[in-house]
Structures are given as structure tokens and as C-alpha cells.
Amino acid sequence: MTSLGRYQLVRPLGRGGMAEVFLACRRVAGIEKWLVVKRLRPERASDPRFLQSFQREARLSLGLSHRNIVPVFDFGRIGDDVFLAMERVDGPDLAATLDRVARPLAPLIAAYIAAECCAALEYAHQRRGGDGVLLGVVHRDVTPANILLSWSGEVKLSDFGIAALAGDRGGASGTAAYMAPEQARGEAVDATADLYALGLVLLEMLHGERARPGAGRDELLEVARRGDPVQPRAAVPAELAAIIRRACDPDASARFRDASSMHAALDRYLVAARATATGPAPDRQLASVLHGAWGEPAREPAGGPDQAVVGDLVSMLEDAPGQATMRSGLATRPPGEAELAPSPPPVVD
């Protein structure tokens, strides 16, 4: 294992245009803490544009504390390595799970996952700065790969790597298969762009396949820019079909006005559905699906003895704020899909 200061990097989990992600372990007084370390790729670390992007993600993520958001709790630099450390969610992501089950999820489970994501987005969208002014945070990459599921049925949204503030024109950054039309056109976005993406994720869970066809990024971007109306299949419950159509309206002003409104609509469906059918709570049903698809979770290998810290740990939290990020640093793609070429780095004035 490789040491990164107080953390031991156990194995790689993903690699994106800006960063690489590792399962990591910290051992203190014989107690192991498993976590995830996201490290800026070595060839990017010397470029101030990428460093500023990474800092922006860390600053935003460190300020988010919600049960449905993966928490980030450390950010720094050791020698040439710039990293952030976050909670490890013990379970798979939604993209891998959909690929594994290869069929639609039960409507109750799909609605539950979407509602939990709405709770995360509602919190992030309503974040305020130290002066009390609404920041208008927009995630911009709500995808199945960024929705993490624990073996106990928890749902957590991850990776604010390309998050922007409402009104930012960040270009067509993100995952093309889930972009709102205005985001794909490189226009300013607000919170409704995240709700559009979540509507496509909900449709994918109910269809068992991606809602937006396309083989490559260019083709997917063209489909996204057109903003063709989304048509749920007849098998989708009418209440959920109405939610999807509203969330995915090509006209941003016709969508749910905020995540709270979409959350309320999903809650109404969940309450009605549970009233007419007996069975475990939705989180327990999700846990059952996960265990059925993946079997019993594997135990992590035991860590070796602590290794010496190489170099001094330098806090990055007091540095000047960076510019808008270029794209997600995590490998936010379903298994088997080719990695997309990274977008050009942002231009720094």
C-alpha cells in the first residue's frame, strides 16, 4: 500500500479527467477507519487552473453536512500530492446496481431513491454563505454513478466536482446523458437543471435502461440540446410518470420550482403506495435488492502497520478561492462505458 500522509491508499476506485480516487485506510491506536481519498492527478497538480478547480470542490464539499450527501472532512497537500478525504459509503453506486440487476427497479424503491436525492439537493440548493446570502449551488452532475447506496439502504449523493453557483456559465460540463438542455448548450443553469437530471435518473430506474440514447458524447450532447420531451412507458405508475414529465420539461420555468416541491410530489406517491401494499419500509426493500444483486458484502483486507508520513501536511483551506470547475473528477460512468475525454480546463483571468 502507498502512504499519503496519515492515509494508506489500498486500491484505486476510479479515474477521471482531473483526479483519481482510492479506497483508503487510516489506523490510529489499532483502530481502522476506512474512507475514500480523491487525489489530483500528478500531471494536473502543477497547473494552477486545475488546482483552483480542486480547491473549489473541496471548499464547497466541506461546507455540506447532510445525511444524504457524502461528507468531505479533510483537504490538504503533502509534497506534490493534493487530496481530499471523504466518507466511504459501504455499498455500490446506483449505476453499477442497475447494470447488475439488468431490469427495472420496483416503483416504490425507485421513488424512494429519488426522494432521498431530492432531500440532498434541497439542502445543497439552499446553502448560504457566511453573509447569509443564498449561494445557489447547482450540482450539475446528478447521475446514477454519483448516487451511492449503502448495504443498509441509505442513499447519498456524491461528487460536487463540477458544482457551480446559479447563473454560472460553465460550458457543457457534466455527463451528457443526464444534462438539461440549457446545460448542454452551455447556458446559465439553476437548480432546475439538477431536477431535470434526477428525472432522467428516475426514468432509468423505472425503465431498466438509459432514458437518453446515444453512443458518444457528441451524439448525446446533440440529443440533450434538442430537449426532446420525455415519454415514460405505460408500465410506469401514472403519478411517477407525471413527476418525470414535469421534472424533465424542456422549458426550465415549467419544471418543479425547487427540490422541495419535487420531494413533496415523490412523498405523496410513497405514502399512497405504502398505504395500499404491505411490506418492509423502502430502505429495507432497497437493502434486500442490493444483497440479492451483490450477495454478502466483502470484508476489506486488514491494513498493514502505519507507514511514516512523507513531507509536511499543508492545509489548503486558507488559500484564495478558485474558479469554476471543469468536470467531475470521479469516474462517473456506468461499468463498460468508455471514459469520456476531459473537457479543456477553465480559463483563468
Side-chain angles (χ1 to χ4, degrees), residues 209-245:
E209 61 186 23
R210 272 192 179 182
R212 184 174 283 164
R217 181 176 174 84
D218 289 343
E219 183 179 354
L220 286 167
L221 278 174
E222 182 56 35
V223 173
R225 292 184 188 112
R226 291 202 309 266
D228 297 334
V230 172
Q231 299 295 343
R233 295 172 185 165
V236 174
E239 300 89 343
L240 294 183
I243 290 172
I244 291 167
R245 281 192 290 266

Side-chain angles (χ1 to χ4, degrees), residues 301-319:
D306 289 340
Q307 301 182 34
V309 173
V310 179
D312 296 324
L313 173 62
V314 179
S315 172
M316 307 290 289
L317 300 182
E318 300 303 323
D319 289 353

Side-chain angles (χ1 to χ4, degrees), residues 76-129:
R77 174 166 53 195
I78 299 177
D80 294 330
D81 288 323
V82 182
F83 71 94
L84 56 82
M86 64 190 81
E87 175 191 349
R88 177 208 175 210
V89 177
D90 191 15
D93 62 55
L94 178 60
T97 298
L98 291 175
D99 184 67
R100 186 89 170 190
V101 298
R103 65 179 184 275
L105 296 182
L108 186 71
I109 296 175
Y112 163 70
I113 293 172
E116 294 290 280
C117 291
C118 271
L121 292 172
E122 181 181 354
Y123 168 82
H125 292 164
Q126 294 301 313
R127 288 293 295 161
R128 296 179 180 272

Side-chain angles (χ1 to χ4, degrees), residues 34 41-42 47 81 85 89 124 138 145 151 172 176 225-226 229 241 251 253 259 274 299 302 321 328 332:
W34 291 94
R41 287 169 55 170
D47 189 327
D81 288 323
V89 177
V138 184
W151 299 119
R225 292 184 188 112
R226 291 202 309 266
D251 180 0
S253 65
R274 293 197 66 194
R299 297 185 61 184
S328 169
T332 54

